[in-house]
Amino acid sequence: MIEDLQARAQVSRSIAKALDDLVRERMKGLVEEPDITSRIGQRLEDRFNGRRLGGYRVRVITETITSHGRKSLEKPLGTDFYFALSVEDAAGNRTSKGVLVQAKRERGCDWTELGEQCRRMRLVTKKESVVWLYRKTGIGVIRSTDVDRRVSASMDSTAFFDLVLECKIGDRRKTPPGPFGDRDSLKTMLKDLGAKNAVWLELDQVAG
């Protein structure tokens, strides 16, 4: 996705800081993880849509579905949040990936329940699903394959986004079928995955 180390680090740090700031703000109150997760897309859209970051033009769209109806897949798939990312280099080469996220407040987390939710996510994409642990200091990230070991967060949010942008996390098969900005495509992904919240972020490298 982004091969330039400096550019990748700037993008990763910026996205991570925006979300860590949000989590720290919300964790000061008695809020549950759905309240925090529902605000992630808007935070990224407010901070970055239309801006340039690390030599890339950023576009962000978000989508929230309040109910999936009677045929909802939310329960069997266990996905809280869907993150889609597309990167286009200066030569016009585009790479797109999707990541499934289960979000939990770390304090009081039911690891047995979380393990079952991760098992369901792995039925969709074995290695490209993660858990975001909301803490007073920000977001900690665990790969879904590590949850059964009850490992404390093995990386911070900056490291997570760096791995996504390095093309080491993410499933090329789990991306919206339409062009960027196609909300119907994004809604289709949400419905298929049973998630309520989604962010689709596009990074286009700016020549020169």
Side-chain angles (χ1 to χ4, degrees):
M1 280 188 156
I2 299 181
E3 295 183 1
D4 183 271
L5 294 178
Q6 185 174 355
R8 192 169 72 230
Q10 183 179 350
V11 175
S12 300
R13 284 196 305 267
S14 298
I15 295 173
K17 183 180 185 305
L19 298 187
D20 284 342
D21 286 348
L22 170 66
V23 171
R24 284 193 289 266
E25 291 165 11
R26 302 307 298 172
M27 288 289 285
K28 292 177 182 178
L30 299 175
V31 298
E32 297 300 322
E33 55 266 9
D35 173 86
I36 300 172
T37 305
S38 67
R39 297 171 186 267
I40 285 174
Q42 193 61 53
R43 175 59 60 96
L44 292 177
E45 192 168 4
D46 291 345
R47 289 277 181 95
F48 301 114
N49 190 45
R51 290 184 54 193
R52 290 192 180 188
L53 193 61
Y56 288 81
R57 180 172 61 91
V58 183
R59 292 194 291 173
V60 184
I61 65 170
T62 66
E63 195 64 57
T64 298
I65 295 180
T66 56
S67 174
H68 291 278
R70 297 176 63 184
K71 295 183 179 180
S72 170
L73 295 179
E74 182 180 9
K75 186 173 182 178
L77 296 187
T79 305
D80 285 328
F81 183 78
Y82 168 66
F83 183 80
L85 177 66
S86 298
V87 177
E88 183 173 308
D89 64 21
N93 300 308
R94 178 174 295 274
T95 304
S96 299
K97 288 198 166 188
V99 181
L100 307 186
V101 178
Q102 173 64 225
K104 295 289 183 186
R105 285 179 64 116
E106 184 174 39
R107 185 174 182 179
C109 177
D110 184 333
W111 288 87
T112 301
E113 178 187 29
L114 180 58
E116 175 59 22
Q117 291 168 326
C118 288
R119 184 192 68 79
R120 294 170 186 164
M121 286 199 298
R122 291 196 297 271
L123 294 175
V124 181
T125 175
K126 188 170 184 180
K127 295 183 179 180
E128 313 309 336
S129 54
V130 299
V131 173
W132 285 1
L133 294 174
Y134 296 147
R135 302 164 158 175
K136 291 183 177 181
T137 54
I139 301 174
V141 184
I142 306 177
R143 291 180 183 267
S144 66
T145 50
D146 292 334
V147 167
D148 289 339
R149 306 174 205 171
R150 301 190 182 186
V151 179
S152 184
S154 57
M155 68 183 93
D156 60 20
S157 55
T158 298
F160 165 71
F161 284 111
D162 189 76
L163 288 173
V164 173
L165 293 169
E166 194 180 357
C167 228
K168 291 189 175 180
I169 292 179
D171 191 333
R172 292 174 186 251
R173 301 168 301 171
K174 302 302 177 187
T175 58
F180 178 82
D182 186 341
R183 291 189 177 275
D184 288 338
S185 293
L186 188 55
K187 286 180 181 179
T188 296
M189 291 300 299
L190 276 174
K191 291 175 180 177
D192 288 346
L193 297 172
K196 291 184 177 180
N197 303 282
V199 170
W200 192 354
L201 190 149
E202 182 180 68
L203 300 169
D204 289 336
Q205 191 170 22
V206 180

